[in-house]
């Protein structure tokens, strides 16, 4: 069994053992992702650029795990494979940001 399926099964098992599925509608999962992303951002708040690379990696892992867990649950709820949707988005972005125009710049696609 691949690791992705194992992670999904473990998330669902954890959730179901606690009867939390009732709280995991799409809106609440999306809100949870946003809140956990804010908690990740908080680790970097008021840090200088040079300090931002020295954040406690364990705290980064915890917040990323929360973000990914809720993201996986939302994807699973809508029968989406996260790897497929990420690969699709990379293809879309490759069209928006062709290497010859986007290389070395942080400009948005409509500014290139």
């Amino acid at each position: 069994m691949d690791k992705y399926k194992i992670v999904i099964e473990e998330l669902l098992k954890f959730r179901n053992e606690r009867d939390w599925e009732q709280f995991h509608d799409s809106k609440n999962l999306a809100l949870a992702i946003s809140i956990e992303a804010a908690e990740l951002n908080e680790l970097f708040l008021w840090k200088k650029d040079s300090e931002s690379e020295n954040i406690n990696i364990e705290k980064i892992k915890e917040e990323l795990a929360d973000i990914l867990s809720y993201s996986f649950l939302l994807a699973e709820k809508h029968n989406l494979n996260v790897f497929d949707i990420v690969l699709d988005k990379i293809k879309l972005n490759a069209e928006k940001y062709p290497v010859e125009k986007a290389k070395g710049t942080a400009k948005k696609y409509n500014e290139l």
Side-chain angles (χ1 to χ4, degrees):
M1 183 178 294
D2 67 38
K3 287 184 180 182
Y4 176 66
K5 287 183 181 179
I6 293 170
V7 168
I8 296 300
E9 285 181 5
E10 289 298 316
L11 282 169
L12 294 175
K13 178 182 172 191
F14 180 87
R15 180 199 68 193
N16 293 342
E17 287 175 343
R18 288 153 182 82
D19 192 26
W20 287 351
E21 185 175 9
Q22 62 183 314
F23 308 117
H24 287 185
D25 57 72
S26 297
K27 174 194 65 90
N28 282 318
L29 289 169
L31 288 170
I33 293 165
S34 178
I35 291 165
E36 295 301 338
E39 290 180 11
L40 176 64
N41 284 334
E42 188 177 26
L43 299 176
F44 297 93
L45 185 63
W46 312 123
K47 304 285 192 274
K48 296 179 183 175
D49 286 345
S50 58
E51 297 172 312
S52 69
E53 297 304 323
N54 297 316
I55 303 299
N56 181 321
I57 195 68
E58 292 304 315
K59 290 182 179 182
I60 292 173
K61 284 168 47 176
E62 285 180 26
E63 298 307 336
L64 278 174
D66 288 340
I67 294 163
L68 290 167
S69 294
Y70 289 126
S71 297
F72 289 164
L73 286 168
L74 183 58
E76 189 276 336
K77 181 173 193 56
H78 294 280
N79 298 312
L80 302 171
N81 180 297
V82 294
F83 297 108
D84 291 340
I85 63 176
V86 169
L87 290 172
D88 289 345
K89 184 64 176 185
I90 291 169
K91 287 179 191 173
L92 181 63
N93 283 342
E95 293 171 13
K96 285 181 170 179
Y97 298 95
V99 173
E100 59 277 1
K101 290 185 177 180
K103 190 170 185 172
T105 182
K107 290 181 180 177
K108 192 165 175 156
Y109 67 92
N110 59 0
E111 299 172 340
L112 296 173

